[in-house]
């Protein structure tokens, strides 16, 4: 055991499986070299010499994973929420993302994003930047300093967007991507690249072919968008008439899971064939309920994805989603699933809080490995929540306090955070 090992004392809530919450009041969580050695009611003798951080009375939960967030959109979160996806991209997203050509602006905006991500309950995130190489590297520098574990993508987009944001062709988009990969290779401990074609409408066939080559050469994970909105789906069908469904258009280029570890955001409107292929290829679904509500996209059939054993976690999708909080996304996932069940399809039961919490911790965390639980062997990502100001005369169990934390936590309630066994504040 090195000096990196320690013990956290407090009240714990975490998941071992989607259906149940594990709770321990007044327990000891042992972190050995950044990995959980389990939670104990009485600290076992081999650990007596370790330093103890005493958070008695505080609620300690695993760090949350944001599987899908756009860093350059954080500046306009909570604004421009009255449009659907394609009009919203033109009116708000592309003009804002164009500003990241200016490194002063990028530094200011990304500094705020990285600072807020650090202070919240998220410990891992998969992040879209923009098509600007320098600004993307700046974002990676800032994220590395936070102590969070992140995957960051320089966005590729060479068609169907205004000149001021479009890359000047497949060849130069691919070339810039390689330059970005070479310049950041080996530079960071916690910040890694992820290949990020924006979505099918933004990428020519030639670009997709070149990106697939880069994926294979650099063994990169991949992130993109899938079956988010009706108009988008119809457009993909026009652009790729040979594809049987939206996901098939990625698959045609070998960019739909399998060898490449892949996250697809949304999957609100996926057909049976698409769902079957995602399952076969181990594609991760980033469920983004708040974004799907704000952009009137719909409600993904998360109960089905969960019960059929697909890989799935939660995303904030800022600025489609207005909140950066994945605890908020847990509550939104439950609430949206209830509306879907009540209004749309009574064969799919609503999610429970336990299930949605599992999605936000273990479900998304598994993209990063053994992450998102306190069970022995999991990497030690922990968030200490101070719920003492949520006053009530009720006697609450630890499970009750987790449920309230999901519905009522604000950023200021995070008292301390640990990532891979390192305290980051
Ligand atoms: N599809 C393509 N680009 C975007 C984006 O920036 N946000 C969302 N929600 N969907 C997209
Ligand atoms: Fe998105």
């Amino acid at each position: 055991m090195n000096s990196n090992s320690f013990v956290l004392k407090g009240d714990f809530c975490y998941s071992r499986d989607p259906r149940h919450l594990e709770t321990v009041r007044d327990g000891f969580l042992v972190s050995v070299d950044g990995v959980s050695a389990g939670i104990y009611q009485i600290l076992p003798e081999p650990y007596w010499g370790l330093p103890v951080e005493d958070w008695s009375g505080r609620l300690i939960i695993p760090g949350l994973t944001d599987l899908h967030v756009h860093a350059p959109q954080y500046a306009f979160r909570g604004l421009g929420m009255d449009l659907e996806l394609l009009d919203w991209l033109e009116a708000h997203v592309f003009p804002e993302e164009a500003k990241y050509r200016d490194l002063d602006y990028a530094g200011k905006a990304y500094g705020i994003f990285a600072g807020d991500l650090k202070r919240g309950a998220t410990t891992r995130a998969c992040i879209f930047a923009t098509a600007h190489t320098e600004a993307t590297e700046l974002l990676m520098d800032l994220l590395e300093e936070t102590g969070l574990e992140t995957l960051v993508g320089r966005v590729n987009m060479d068609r169907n967007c205004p000149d001021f944001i479009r890359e000047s062709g497949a060849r130069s988009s691919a070339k810039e991507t390689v330059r970005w990969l070479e310049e950041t290779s080996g530079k960071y401990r916690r910040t890694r690249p992820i290949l990020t074609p924006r979505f099918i409408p933004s990428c020519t066939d030639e670009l997709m072919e070149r990106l697939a080559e880069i994926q294979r050469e650099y063994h990169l994970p991949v992130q993109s968008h899938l079956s988010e909105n009706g108009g988008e789906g119809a457009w993909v069908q026009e652009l790729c008439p040979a594809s049987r469904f939206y996901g098939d258009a990625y698959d045609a280029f070998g960019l739909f899971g399998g060898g490449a570890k892949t996250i697809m955001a949304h999957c609100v409107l996926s057909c049976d064939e698409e769902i079957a292929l995602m399952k076969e290829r181990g594609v991760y679904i980033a469920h983004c309920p708040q974004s799907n509500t704000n952009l009137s996209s719909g409600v993904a059939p998360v109960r089905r994805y969960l019960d059929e054993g697909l890989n799935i976690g939660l995303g904030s999708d800022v600025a489609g989603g207005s909140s950066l909080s994945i605890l908020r996304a847990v509550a939104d996932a439950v609430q949206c699933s209830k509306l879907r069940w009540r209004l749309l399809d009574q064969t799919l039961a609503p999610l429970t809080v336990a299930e949605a919490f599992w999605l936000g911790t273990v479900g998304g965390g598994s993209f990063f490995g053994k992450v998102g639980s306190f069970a022995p062997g999991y990497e030690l990502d922990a968030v200490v929540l101070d719920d003492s100001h949520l006053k009530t005369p009720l006697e609450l169990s630890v499970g009750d306090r987790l449920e309230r934390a999901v519905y009522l936590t604000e950023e200021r309630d995070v008292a301390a955070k640990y990532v891979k066994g390192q305290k980051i504040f």
Side-chain angles (χ1 to χ4, degrees):
M1 271 180 263
N2 68 18
S3 58
N4 194 8
S5 302
F6 58 93
V7 177
L8 296 180
K9 184 170 191 292
D11 301 330
F12 296 92
C13 189
Y14 67 102
S15 307
R16 283 177 191 268
D17 65 64
R19 315 264 173 260
H20 309 100
L21 291 175
E22 307 285 332
T23 61
V24 180
R25 192 190 283 273
D26 273 332
F28 297 91
L29 168 58
V30 179
S31 173
V32 175
D33 299 338
V35 174
S36 170
I39 298 180
Y40 303 90
Q41 210 71 72
I42 296 166
L43 190 63
E45 197 183 333
Y47 307 127
W48 284 2
L50 294 180
V52 177
E53 295 216 21
D54 190 351
W55 294 105
S56 295
R58 300 286 179 259
L59 179 63
I60 306 177
I61 62 173
L64 289 123
T65 292
D66 190 342
L67 270 190
H68 183 74
V69 55
H70 298 261
Q73 298 176 18
Y74 191 61
F76 74 98
R77 68 197 182 283
L79 293 170
M81 299 269 88
D82 296 327
L83 297 171
E84 286 191 47
L85 174 66
L86 300 176
D87 293 334
W88 173 76
L89 289 173
E90 293 281 334
H92 298 287
V93 173
F94 295 151
E96 180 62 24
E97 291 194 5
K99 295 179 188 167
Y100 289 75
R101 191 184 305 118
D102 173 357
L103 278 186
D104 285 341
Y105 185 80
K108 239 181 262 166
Y110 281 157
I112 295 167
F113 170 78
D116 286 359
L117 195 64
K118 178 174 177 173
R119 291 300 310 184
T122 295
T123 53
R124 315 257 171 165
C126 300
I127 302 172
F128 280 54
T130 64
H132 308 95
T133 303
E134 275 72 24
T136 302
E137 293 182 14
L138 180 57
L139 174 62
M140 293 172 84
D141 292 347
L142 291 166
L143 286 165
E144 179 74 8
E145 283 170 28
T146 63
L148 301 170
E149 292 277 331
T150 60
L151 291 164
V152 180
R154 177 196 176 282
V155 173
N156 298 97
M157 44 197 295
D158 72 337
R159 70 171 174 185
N160 292 322
C161 53
D163 288 349
F164 59 75
I165 187 84
R166 186 175 54 241
E167 295 183 277
S168 61
R171 180 198 291 263
S172 79
S173 175
K175 202 168 142 215
E176 273 297 294
T177 301
V178 168
R179 178 167 80 87
W180 161 62
L181 292 169
E182 293 294 337
E183 286 182 0
T184 54
S185 165
K187 189 173 170 194
Y188 307 111
R189 280 175 50 208
R190 306 174 258 269
T191 316
R192 284 167 294 141
I194 180 166
L195 198 66
T196 306
R198 176 164 220 124
F199 67 158
I200 288 287
S202 299
C203 301
T204 59
D205 289 2
E206 185 190 343
L207 177 55
M208 292 298 275
E209 276 163 17
R210 288 177 184 270
L211 293 181
E213 276 169 29
I214 293 171
Q215 188 282 321
R216 287 191 296 271
E217 186 176 340
Y218 290 85
H219 307 289
L220 293 171
V222 178
Q223 59 181 354
S224 194
H225 295 91
L226 181 68
S227 299
E228 175 177 6
N229 162 287
E232 172 209 27
W235 196 15
V236 169
Q237 198 54 60
E238 265 173 48
L239 292 166
C240 309
S243 65
R244 290 169 299 144
F245 48 88
Y246 191 160
D248 194 33
Y250 291 106
D251 195 48
F253 301 100
L255 291 171
F256 202 63
K261 235 183 153 195
T262 298
I263 301 167
M264 287 288 162
H266 305 300
C267 308
V268 171
L269 301 168
S270 296
C271 62
D272 290 347
E273 270 184 289
E274 183 163 283
I275 293 169
L277 192 60
M278 285 194 286
K279 179 165 182 181
E280 189 185 318
R281 298 291 167 77
V283 169
Y284 272 72
I285 296 166
H287 174 47
C288 307
Q290 197 180 64
S291 168
N292 298 155
T293 304
N294 286 333
L295 298 176
S296 309
S297 300
V299 190
V302 178
R303 158 69 55 210
R304 175 173 180 188
Y305 296 151
L306 198 58
D307 288 357
E308 292 188 11
L310 277 86
N311 289 324
I312 175 166
L314 298 177
S316 66
D317 193 30
V318 159
S322 23
S323 169
L324 196 56
S325 165
I326 296 300
L327 282 173
R328 171 69 198 264
V330 171
D332 290 336
V334 172
Q335 292 176 330
C336 288
S337 74
K338 288 176 177 170
L339 289 178
R340 190 180 198 287
W341 171 75
R342 176 63 67 192
L343 298 174
L344 211 64
D345 179 359
Q346 284 168 20
T347 67
L348 296 180
L351 298 181
T352 63
V353 169
E355 287 168 330
F357 182 66
W358 182 91
L359 290 176
T361 53
V362 184
S366 65
F367 194 77
F368 289 83
K370 281 201 98 171
V371 172
S373 177
F374 293 144
Y378 276 77
E379 293 184 6
L380 203 289
D381 286 15
V383 173
V384 181
L385 296 176
D386 182 356
D387 57 354
S388 59
H389 67 284
L390 297 173
K391 295 196 189 329
T392 171
L394 296 174
E395 279 285 327
L396 299 179
S397 68
V398 174
D400 291 338
R401 284 166 60 201
L402 185 274
E403 187 165 357
R404 279 206 327 165
V406 162
Y407 284 96
L408 299 173
T409 294
E410 293 177 15
E411 228 159 76
R412 66 190 164 94
D413 303 337
V414 179
K417 189 151 95 173
Y418 304 79
V419 185
K420 265 192 182 175
Q422 299 280 342
K423 187 173 187 177
I424 70 167
F425 69 83

